Amino acid sequence: MKLGFLGTTAALALVAGAAQAEYSLTILHTNDFHDRYEPISKYDSTCAPEDNEAGECFGGIARLVTAVQEARSRGDDNLLLVDGGDQFQGTLFYTYYKGKMTAEFMNQLGYDAMTVGNHEFDDGPEVLRAFVDNVEFPVLMSNADVSGEEKLADAIRKSTVIERGGEKIGLIGLTPEDTDELASPGPNVIFTEPVGAVQAEVDRLTEEGVNKIVVLSHSGFETDKRVAEETTGVDVIVGGHSNTLLSNEQEGAVDVYPVMIGDTAIVQAYAYGKFLGELNVTFDDEGVITEAVGEPILIDGEVVEDQDALDRVAELAKPLDEIRNRVVANSTASIEGNRDVCRAQECEMGNLVADAMLDRVKDQGIVAAIANSGGLRASIDEGEVTMGEVLTVLPFQNTLSTFEVTGADIKEALENGVGQMEEGAGRFPQVAGMSFAVDPAAEAGNRISDVMIAGEPLDMEATYGLVSNNYVRNGGDGYKMFVDADKAYDFGPDLADVTAEYMAAQGDYKPYTDGRITVK
């Protein structure tokens, strides 16, 4: 069992007059990239080219290439580049290329290892296997038995050992224990609890003489803290899944960077390529951390885009028109999505999107949906509906979010939603599974009445399962009452995909309103 914390071990050794050999390691890390090869806005959605030229965008693979190159040039020779999972899913690049584009750029960047995220299983073991075969680094997952799945049995490792500067570094993968509920791994992959799985690999690596161990974890910040508390021998946990920003400088950070639990340093770098994590760790000759410092690098407009990467992304984007032109449904009439209508009253597009959201998760204990009208950007004409039209309505790459709140929270949310009706604000709520009345003439904060949910009057003290999009759930458009919601999961499928699939399932879709919102 390792002992010591940050500088304590080194200080005691100096006092005792013992000579210790220090070893420094730089760990660059990403997580939850979700195929954001093009730049994103400050809201993590699509960023317009003119905004990118003005330096107002973040991320994109061309900036990440530059950031990694710069970090390598100034960093220690002992350097690792690793990923905390969920490279897959989130844009049309994944829809079209699956893992091929991911493999190409991760190889170019020179990743040393990654863990399997739940979204790596979105298209089953076959797509994951093709990705593993195409990458030039190990893909890890310690808490899963893949021996019964022939497509993965000889492809996914629990851990690996990499040498840097004559020292061995053990890397262990970790994926969500409930991946079978979050994705499509099939019946032959058995997921297990994280603590025991990690400890078993630590013990095995330790017996082989490895005393510097890094866990690549796609299990969320809370699970990472538990793993740090309940295992021995883990030096660093590079996290993912919860899209947690750990930072000593950035506004909105959840905690410091790194978070120390005993001798274990925990890091995570938000999501979508907006940050590149950089942790500098010093070990004594027993493999105990004597210092762990660093900070996520913000990949903003000041980071120059690599031209070769830009050209390659532009080339790979050309076939996406095939997806945009694909007919996904048919509508018997035009679907009203005009902002002047949807930001003031119930509208057909609002009902379509809210209904689609609720239908997708109604078997998960979710009883109602709230969609912000600002996320609805267009109407759809009568007749054939293409994916391009759906993406025009829902262009922001928002994902489905489920969570639990009280009736009082719902009332507050609806009051927020109608609080700026006179301004045509995008926070106006379109709903499914509930109904309400609004009096625009009343004072803001006291406009909502007659709320019904799941067929019953709203109970202010009861708990309800809701679905929205990740922007609203994380406080966008003033919905701050959802930020600390219970059982929140923000990483569902893309809202455009959900809406397109819902329309397709209806046959000839018939646009409608049904009085779920009454404007007095």
mmCIF file of all heavy atoms in Angstrom, residues 303-333:
data_model
loop_
_atom_site.group_PDB
_atom_site.id
_atom_site.type_symbol
_atom_site.label_atom_id
_atom_site.label_comp_id
_atom_site.label_asym_id
_atom_site.label_seq_id
_atom_site.Cartn_x
_atom_site.Cartn_y
_atom_site.Cartn_z
ATOM 1 N N VAL A 303 -6.444 29.916 -30.213
ATOM 2 C CA VAL A 303 -5.668 28.767 -30.668
ATOM 3 C C VAL A 303 -5.798 28.669 -32.191
ATOM 4 O O VAL A 303 -6.902 28.540 -32.716
ATOM 5 C CB VAL A 303 -6.148 27.463 -30.004
ATOM 6 C CG1 VAL A 303 -5.338 26.271 -30.510
ATOM 7 C CG2 VAL A 303 -6.053 27.567 -28.483
ATOM 8 N N VAL A 304 -4.698 28.733 -32.886
ATOM 9 C CA VAL A 304 -4.714 28.726 -34.356
ATOM 10 C C VAL A 304 -5.132 27.347 -34.868
ATOM 11 O O VAL A 304 -4.668 26.310 -34.366
ATOM 12 C CB VAL A 304 -3.315 29.089 -34.897
ATOM 13 C CG1 VAL A 304 -3.298 29.019 -36.426
ATOM 14 C CG2 VAL A 304 -2.916 30.486 -34.420
ATOM 15 N N GLU A 305 -5.998 27.339 -35.852
ATOM 16 C CA GLU A 305 -6.456 26.078 -36.437
ATOM 17 C C GLU A 305 -5.403 25.514 -37.395
ATOM 18 O O GLU A 305 -4.888 26.230 -38.253
ATOM 19 C CB GLU A 305 -7.775 26.284 -37.172
ATOM 20 C CG GLU A 305 -8.932 26.654 -36.252
ATOM 21 C CD GLU A 305 -10.228 26.899 -36.998
ATOM 22 O OE1 GLU A 305 -10.337 27.945 -37.666
ATOM 23 O OE2 GLU A 305 -11.122 26.052 -36.916
ATOM 24 N N ASP A 306 -5.107 24.251 -37.253
ATOM 25 C CA ASP A 306 -4.163 23.575 -38.126
ATOM 26 C C ASP A 306 -4.768 23.439 -39.525
ATOM 27 O O ASP A 306 -5.860 22.870 -39.681
ATOM 28 C CB ASP A 306 -3.823 22.191 -37.560
ATOM 29 C CG ASP A 306 -2.877 21.420 -38.441
ATOM 30 O OD1 ASP A 306 -1.661 21.663 -38.358
ATOM 31 O OD2 ASP A 306 -3.364 20.578 -39.222
ATOM 32 N N GLN A 307 -4.089 23.941 -40.538
ATOM 33 C CA GLN A 307 -4.668 24.000 -41.880
ATOM 34 C C GLN A 307 -4.906 22.613 -42.462
ATOM 35 O O GLN A 307 -5.920 22.365 -43.122
ATOM 36 C CB GLN A 307 -3.772 24.819 -42.813
ATOM 37 C CG GLN A 307 -4.419 25.122 -44.160
ATOM 38 C CD GLN A 307 -5.709 25.903 -44.033
ATOM 39 O OE1 GLN A 307 -5.755 26.930 -43.360
ATOM 40 N NE2 GLN A 307 -6.780 25.420 -44.668
ATOM 41 N N ASP A 308 -3.970 21.686 -42.263
ATOM 42 C CA ASP A 308 -4.151 20.336 -42.800
ATOM 43 C C ASP A 308 -5.387 19.669 -42.201
ATOM 44 O O ASP A 308 -6.143 18.989 -42.920
ATOM 45 C CB ASP A 308 -2.921 19.479 -42.520
ATOM 46 C CG ASP A 308 -1.718 19.896 -43.361
ATOM 47 O OD1 ASP A 308 -1.920 20.594 -44.383
ATOM 48 O OD2 ASP A 308 -0.581 19.537 -42.986
ATOM 49 N N ALA A 309 -5.592 19.859 -40.919
ATOM 50 C CA ALA A 309 -6.780 19.288 -40.279
ATOM 51 C C ALA A 309 -8.048 19.948 -40.807
ATOM 52 O O ALA A 309 -9.059 19.274 -41.045
ATOM 53 C CB ALA A 309 -6.683 19.439 -38.761
ATOM 54 N N LEU A 310 -8.006 21.260 -40.984
ATOM 55 C CA LEU A 310 -9.162 21.973 -41.554
ATOM 56 C C LEU A 310 -9.509 21.422 -42.925
ATOM 57 O O LEU A 310 -10.688 21.176 -43.238
ATOM 58 C CB LEU A 310 -8.852 23.465 -41.674
ATOM 59 C CG LEU A 310 -9.056 24.351 -40.456
ATOM 60 C CD1 LEU A 310 -8.649 25.785 -40.794
ATOM 61 C CD2 LEU A 310 -10.505 24.322 -39.991
ATOM 62 N N ASP A 311 -8.506 21.241 -43.760
ATOM 63 C CA ASP A 311 -8.744 20.741 -45.120
ATOM 64 C C ASP A 311 -9.314 19.329 -45.084
ATOM 65 O O ASP A 311 -10.215 18.995 -45.877
ATOM 66 C CB ASP A 311 -7.434 20.753 -45.916
ATOM 67 C CG ASP A 311 -6.914 22.163 -46.173
ATOM 68 O OD1 ASP A 311 -7.706 23.115 -46.029
ATOM 69 O OD2 ASP A 311 -5.711 22.299 -46.498
ATOM 70 N N ARG A 312 -8.819 18.512 -44.176
ATOM 71 C CA ARG A 312 -9.300 17.133 -44.099
ATOM 72 C C ARG A 312 -10.752 17.087 -43.625
ATOM 73 O O ARG A 312 -11.565 16.318 -44.165
ATOM 74 C CB ARG A 312 -8.410 16.324 -43.157
ATOM 75 C CG ARG A 312 -8.794 14.859 -43.031
ATOM 76 C CD ARG A 312 -8.797 14.149 -44.359
ATOM 77 N NE ARG A 312 -9.059 12.713 -44.204
ATOM 78 C CZ ARG A 312 -9.629 11.963 -45.147
ATOM 79 N NH1 ARG A 312 -9.994 12.499 -46.321
ATOM 80 N NH2 ARG A 312 -9.829 10.681 -44.930
ATOM 81 N N VAL A 313 -11.102 17.901 -42.646
ATOM 82 C CA VAL A 313 -12.489 17.943 -42.178
ATOM 83 C C VAL A 313 -13.416 18.409 -43.296
ATOM 84 O O VAL A 313 -14.510 17.856 -43.497
ATOM 85 C CB VAL A 313 -12.624 18.849 -40.943
ATOM 86 C CG1 VAL A 313 -14.093 19.083 -40.596
ATOM 87 C CG2 VAL A 313 -11.907 18.240 -39.750
ATOM 88 N N ALA A 314 -12.989 19.421 -44.054
ATOM 89 C CA ALA A 314 -13.808 19.911 -45.167
ATOM 90 C C ALA A 314 -14.022 18.820 -46.206
ATOM 91 O O ALA A 314 -15.128 18.668 -46.757
ATOM 92 C CB ALA A 314 -13.141 21.123 -45.803
ATOM 93 N N GLU A 315 -12.978 18.040 -46.450
ATOM 94 C CA GLU A 315 -13.091 16.938 -47.401
ATOM 95 C C GLU A 315 -14.071 15.877 -46.894
ATOM 96 O O GLU A 315 -14.929 15.385 -47.650
ATOM 97 C CB GLU A 315 -11.712 16.325 -47.630
ATOM 98 C CG GLU A 315 -11.691 15.160 -48.599
ATOM 99 C CD GLU A 315 -10.313 14.547 -48.738
ATOM 100 O OE1 GLU A 315 -9.373 15.017 -48.065
ATOM 101 O OE2 GLU A 315 -10.175 13.580 -49.520
ATOM 102 N N LEU A 316 -13.948 15.541 -45.618
ATOM 103 C CA LEU A 316 -14.815 14.509 -45.045
ATOM 104 C C LEU A 316 -16.254 14.984 -44.890
ATOM 105 O O LEU A 316 -17.177 14.166 -44.777
ATOM 106 C CB LEU A 316 -14.262 14.078 -43.686
ATOM 107 C CG LEU A 316 -12.941 13.308 -43.729
ATOM 108 C CD1 LEU A 316 -12.323 13.201 -42.346
ATOM 109 C CD2 LEU A 316 -13.148 11.909 -44.326
ATOM 110 N N ALA A 317 -16.473 16.295 -44.878
ATOM 111 C CA ALA A 317 -17.832 16.827 -44.708
ATOM 112 C C ALA A 317 -18.653 16.726 -45.983
ATOM 113 O O ALA A 317 -19.900 16.768 -45.928
ATOM 114 C CB ALA A 317 -17.763 18.281 -44.251
ATOM 115 N N LYS A 318 -18.002 16.591 -47.139
ATOM 116 C CA LYS A 318 -18.734 16.614 -48.415
ATOM 117 C C LYS A 318 -19.822 15.542 -48.531
ATOM 118 O O LYS A 318 -20.939 15.833 -48.954
ATOM 119 C CB LYS A 318 -17.743 16.497 -49.576
ATOM 120 C CG LYS A 318 -16.851 17.715 -49.734
ATOM 121 C CD LYS A 318 -15.827 17.519 -50.847
ATOM 122 C CE LYS A 318 -14.917 18.740 -50.978
ATOM 123 N NZ LYS A 318 -13.865 18.540 -52.017
ATOM 124 N N PRO A 319 -19.551 14.290 -48.143
ATOM 125 C CA PRO A 319 -20.588 13.261 -48.283
ATOM 126 C C PRO A 319 -21.771 13.425 -47.324
ATOM 127 O O PRO A 319 -22.769 12.703 -47.455
ATOM 128 C CB PRO A 319 -19.843 11.954 -47.977
ATOM 129 C CG PRO A 319 -18.403 12.286 -48.086
ATOM 130 C CD PRO A 319 -18.287 13.705 -47.692
ATOM 131 N N LEU A 320 -21.661 14.330 -46.361
ATOM 132 C CA LEU A 320 -22.745 14.465 -45.389
ATOM 133 C C LEU A 320 -24.023 14.979 -46.027
ATOM 134 O O LEU A 320 -25.112 14.848 -45.462
ATOM 135 C CB LEU A 320 -22.325 15.389 -44.237
ATOM 136 C CG LEU A 320 -21.079 14.962 -43.463
ATOM 137 C CD1 LEU A 320 -20.875 15.866 -42.255
ATOM 138 C CD2 LEU A 320 -21.175 13.506 -43.017
ATOM 139 N N ASP A 321 -23.895 15.558 -47.213
ATOM 140 C CA ASP A 321 -25.103 15.984 -47.920
ATOM 141 C C ASP A 321 -26.023 14.805 -48.210
ATOM 142 O O ASP A 321 -27.240 14.970 -48.336
ATOM 143 C CB ASP A 321 -24.731 16.690 -49.226
ATOM 144 C CG ASP A 321 -24.219 18.096 -48.991
ATOM 145 O OD1 ASP A 321 -24.505 18.649 -47.907
ATOM 146 O OD2 ASP A 321 -23.534 18.641 -49.879
ATOM 147 N N GLU A 322 -25.443 13.623 -48.332
ATOM 148 C CA GLU A 322 -26.265 12.430 -48.544
ATOM 149 C C GLU A 322 -27.232 12.232 -47.375
ATOM 150 O O GLU A 322 -28.381 11.843 -47.558
ATOM 151 C CB GLU A 322 -25.379 11.191 -48.697
ATOM 152 C CG GLU A 322 -24.484 11.212 -49.920
ATOM 153 C CD GLU A 322 -23.622 9.959 -50.010
ATOM 154 O OE1 GLU A 322 -23.980 8.940 -49.376
ATOM 155 O OE2 GLU A 322 -22.588 10.003 -50.712
ATOM 156 N N ILE A 323 -26.747 12.516 -46.172
ATOM 157 C CA ILE A 323 -27.609 12.388 -44.995
ATOM 158 C C ILE A 323 -28.637 13.502 -44.983
ATOM 159 O O ILE A 323 -29.827 13.271 -44.732
ATOM 160 C CB ILE A 323 -26.762 12.426 -43.713
ATOM 161 C CG1 ILE A 323 -25.823 11.222 -43.672
ATOM 162 C CG2 ILE A 323 -27.640 12.469 -42.468
ATOM 163 C CD1 ILE A 323 -24.848 11.262 -42.529
ATOM 164 N N ARG A 324 -28.189 14.708 -45.244
ATOM 165 C CA ARG A 324 -29.099 15.852 -45.211
ATOM 166 C C ARG A 324 -30.231 15.699 -46.217
ATOM 167 O O ARG A 324 -31.351 16.171 -45.993
ATOM 168 C CB ARG A 324 -28.321 17.140 -45.460
ATOM 169 C CG ARG A 324 -27.285 17.449 -44.390
ATOM 170 C CD ARG A 324 -26.625 18.793 -44.629
ATOM 171 N NE ARG A 324 -25.672 19.107 -43.576
ATOM 172 C CZ ARG A 324 -24.362 18.965 -43.692
ATOM 173 N NH1 ARG A 324 -23.846 18.529 -44.830
ATOM 174 N NH2 ARG A 324 -23.563 19.263 -42.693
ATOM 175 N N ASN A 325 -29.965 15.047 -47.350
ATOM 176 C CA ASN A 325 -30.980 14.897 -48.399
ATOM 177 C C ASN A 325 -31.842 13.647 -48.237
ATOM 178 O O ASN A 325 -32.787 13.450 -49.010
ATOM 179 C CB ASN A 325 -30.302 14.866 -49.775
ATOM 180 C CG ASN A 325 -29.632 16.192 -50.110
ATOM 181 O OD1 ASN A 325 -30.071 17.239 -49.656
ATOM 182 N ND2 ASN A 325 -28.560 16.141 -50.891
ATOM 183 N N ARG A 326 -31.522 12.827 -47.240
ATOM 184 C CA ARG A 326 -32.282 11.591 -47.036
ATOM 185 C C ARG A 326 -33.687 11.882 -46.527
ATOM 186 O O ARG A 326 -33.866 12.629 -45.562
ATOM 187 C CB ARG A 326 -31.543 10.693 -46.043
ATOM 188 C CG ARG A 326 -32.162 9.298 -45.922
ATOM 189 C CD ARG A 326 -31.380 8.424 -44.965
ATOM 190 N NE ARG A 326 -31.659 8.764 -43.580
ATOM 191 C CZ ARG A 326 -30.755 9.156 -42.709
ATOM 192 N NH1 ARG A 326 -29.498 9.296 -43.068
ATOM 193 N NH2 ARG A 326 -31.087 9.440 -41.460
ATOM 194 N N VAL A 327 -34.695 11.307 -47.172
ATOM 195 C CA VAL A 327 -36.081 11.472 -46.726
ATOM 196 C C VAL A 327 -36.303 10.588 -45.507
ATOM 197 O O VAL A 327 -36.054 9.376 -45.546
ATOM 198 C CB VAL A 327 -37.067 11.104 -47.851
ATOM 199 C CG1 VAL A 327 -38.503 11.159 -47.333
ATOM 200 C CG2 VAL A 327 -36.907 12.048 -49.035
ATOM 201 N N VAL A 328 -36.751 11.188 -44.414
ATOM 202 C CA VAL A 328 -36.928 10.443 -43.166
ATOM 203 C C VAL A 328 -38.385 10.302 -42.763
ATOM 204 O O VAL A 328 -38.729 9.472 -41.923
ATOM 205 C CB VAL A 328 -36.149 11.109 -42.014
ATOM 206 C CG1 VAL A 328 -34.651 11.056 -42.274
ATOM 207 C CG2 VAL A 328 -36.602 12.550 -41.799
ATOM 208 N N ALA A 329 -39.276 11.110 -43.341
ATOM 209 C CA ALA A 329 -40.685 11.063 -42.942
ATOM 210 C C ALA A 329 -41.524 11.791 -43.984
ATOM 211 O O ALA A 329 -41.012 12.318 -44.986
ATOM 212 C CB ALA A 329 -40.869 11.708 -41.562
ATOM 213 N N ASN A 330 -42.825 11.817 -43.716
ATOM 214 C CA ASN A 330 -43.764 12.549 -44.565
ATOM 215 C C ASN A 330 -44.753 13.271 -43.666
ATOM 216 O O ASN A 330 -45.234 12.708 -42.678
ATOM 217 C CB ASN A 330 -44.508 11.597 -45.502
ATOM 218 C CG ASN A 330 -45.345 12.342 -46.519
ATOM 219 O OD1 ASN A 330 -44.807 12.927 -47.465
ATOM 220 N ND2 ASN A 330 -46.656 12.353 -46.334
ATOM 221 N N SER A 331 -45.049 14.514 -43.991
ATOM 222 C CA SER A 331 -45.999 15.303 -43.208
ATOM 223 C C SER A 331 -47.213 15.633 -44.055
ATOM 224 O O SER A 331 -47.082 16.056 -45.212
ATOM 225 C CB SER A 331 -45.353 16.594 -42.706
ATOM 226 O OG SER A 331 -46.261 17.333 -41.922
ATOM 227 N N THR A 332 -48.380 15.459 -43.497
ATOM 228 C CA THR A 332 -49.623 15.697 -44.235
ATOM 229 C C THR A 332 -49.919 17.186 -44.402
ATOM 230 O O THR A 332 -50.797 17.553 -45.183
ATOM 231 C CB THR A 332 -50.805 15.036 -43.519
ATOM 232 O OG1 THR A 332 -50.958 15.619 -42.210
ATOM 233 C CG2 THR A 332 -50.587 13.538 -43.391
ATOM 234 N N ALA A 333 -49.219 18.033 -43.671
ATOM 235 C CA ALA A 333 -49.397 19.482 -43.772
ATOM 236 C C ALA A 333 -48.118 20.147 -43.296
ATOM 237 O O ALA A 333 -47.238 19.495 -42.718
ATOM 238 C CB ALA A 333 -50.593 19.943 -42.933
#
